[in-house]
Amino acid sequence: MSFQVEGKVAVVTGGSSGIGLAAVEILVAEGAKVAWCGRDEERLNASKHYILEKFPHANIFTKACNVLKKEEVQQFAKDVKLNLGNVDMLINNAGQGRVSNFENTQDEDWMKEIELKYFSVLHPVRAFLDDLKQSANASITNVNSLLALQPEPHMIATSSARAALLNLTHSLAHEFTQYGVRVNSILLGMVESAQWKRRYETRSDLNLSWEEWTGNIAKNRGIPMQRLGRPEEPARALVFLASPLASYTTGSAIDVSGGFNKHL
Ligand code: NDP
């Protein structure tokens, strides 16, 4: 069964690498028109070339945009509409985590983390909501973390901001049913990313392959599936929730953590 997104317009924030790029690739392969952004122009261009090399006829639009800058996001939304048409699916993926405990998290760090987790969602939602209201299959899908339900002291600010985002996602889902806009999220465990690749390059034991090295991390952290997730795994969950296949699902969160969740 296909994701039924052919001809629909999708926006992926932070689509220039990792999970976002994997979601872009699935959407393009399924025949959707896809727009994505990131801050770094070079990374954005590389992602565009990667997609066009695989799918020369892809209907895509990319633009450098920082999701924390309201005006840039509003302009991005206008440009998306002009280039691809009215948006049907918004995937809020842009962001990163912060490793720090209470002792070494300053007030400014808290403010930054809260700003990132709230406004990386609020700015795009504001900018695209009017368009989404006009779609017959509208959805907003937020990338969130298992930290929202299972906080870790070494990521104290990210954990609590993630909990707030889960709460916010639920409220938006309920408020937006009147507009026919579904709002869901995915809860990630640990997924292979550029950050992990960089750490692998500087590993102490050069004999370890990528699979062995990441497998050891997963085992040490107690991930039951004993490996990290691959970007396409959360990306498939994202595309499912964004797609008409999830037409009766709103206010929901899919766990993509290899069984790392400790709650029922
Ligand atoms: P990557 O670093 O590979 O991708 C992050 C993407 O977001 C990049 O395209 C980056 O581009 C973009 N981005 C970051 N900040 C902004 C911004 N302010 N405005 C616009 N674009 C931005 O990370 P992942 O694919 O691993 O992560 C994707 C999401 O999943 C993130 O929100 C992350 O916090 C979350 N997550 C990831 C986990 C993991 O284990 N990998 C675990 C839990 C959550 P650029 O830097 O050029 O702007």
Side-chain angles (χ1 to χ4, degrees):
M1 185 195 274
S2 83
F3 283 107
Q4 299 176 4
V5 294
E6 193 172 351
K8 300 198 186 311
V9 177
V11 171
V12 182
T13 67
S16 58
S17 92
I19 297 161
L21 182 55
V24 166
E25 185 168 345
I26 296 170
L27 287 159
V28 168
E30 292 280 320
K33 303 179 207 173
V34 189
W36 68 97
C37 69
R39 293 163 302 179
D40 185 88
E41 196 93 50
E42 218 169 287
R43 207 170 8 245
L44 197 60
N45 282 335
S47 66
K48 186 177 174 179
H49 289 131
Y50 168 78
I51 292 293
L52 285 175
E53 217 158 83
K54 280 190 122 171
F55 308 95
H57 303 295
N59 207 339
I60 60 173
F61 174 73
T62 60
K63 184 169 180 173
C65 166
N66 182 342
V67 289
L68 297 184
K69 298 201 169 153
K70 190 173 183 171
E71 291 74 25
E72 282 186 23
V73 181
Q74 283 169 339
Q75 190 56 50
F76 177 56
K78 283 184 192 151
D79 294 340
V80 170
K81 191 166 187 170
L82 210 62
N83 284 274
L84 299 182
N86 197 71
V87 70
D88 301 290
M89 297 168 276
L90 169 63
I91 295 180
N92 290 311
N93 163 75
Q96 60 194 45
R98 178 185 174 83
V99 178
S100 63
N101 59 22
F102 179 75
E103 288 290 344
N104 56 25
T105 309
Q106 306 308 317
D107 288 353
E108 312 81 70
D109 303 325
W110 280 98
M111 296 304 285
K112 273 192 193 152
E113 196 56 11
I114 288 164
E115 183 194 14
L116 176 63
K117 297 301 180 289
Y118 271 97
F119 287 96
S120 62
V121 170
L122 292 175
H123 288 329
V125 167
R126 272 204 204 289
F128 286 100
L129 186 58
D130 282 345
D131 289 349
L132 287 165
K133 286 178 184 174
Q134 293 171 45
S135 164
N137 282 294
S139 65
I140 296 169
T141 314
N142 298 328
V143 171
N144 203 345
S145 161
L146 190 55
L147 293 171
L149 296 173
Q150 207 165 281
E152 303 227 1
H154 74 284
M155 294 186 79
I156 190 169
T158 296
S159 295
S160 69
R162 288 297 190 190
L165 176 59
L166 186 62
N167 189 296
L168 170 67
T169 304
H170 205 258
S171 294
L172 293 179
H174 283 249
E175 184 169 339
F176 292 176
T177 50
Q178 61 184 311
Y179 309 131
V181 180
R182 297 181 299 101
V183 190
N184 294 292
S185 59
I186 62 167
L187 301 181
L188 298 179
M190 289 163 79
V191 178
E192 292 174 5
S193 66
Q195 198 185 333
W196 288 115
K197 298 265 186 218
R198 278 195 297 275
R199 286 194 205 164
Y200 175 68
E201 296 308 324
T202 56
R203 69 196 177 283
S204 49
D205 186 349
L206 292 173
N207 292 322
L208 286 180
S209 69
W210 169 251
E211 285 71 27
E212 288 165 334
W213 186 77
T214 51
N216 285 344
I217 293 171
K219 276 179 223 162
N220 292 339
R221 294 296 300 277
I223 297 175
M225 289 180 76
Q226 305 203 346
R227 65 172 177 85
L228 303 190
R230 292 182 284 271
E232 62 273 20
E233 295 177 310
R236 283 196 293 262
L238 277 175
V239 176
F240 164 71
L241 286 171
S243 79
L245 290 187
S247 53
Y248 199 48
T249 300
T250 197
S252 159
I254 294 185
D255 179 290
V256 190
S257 71
F260 196 36
N261 57 76
K262 304 277 194 294
H263 52 275
L264 285 175

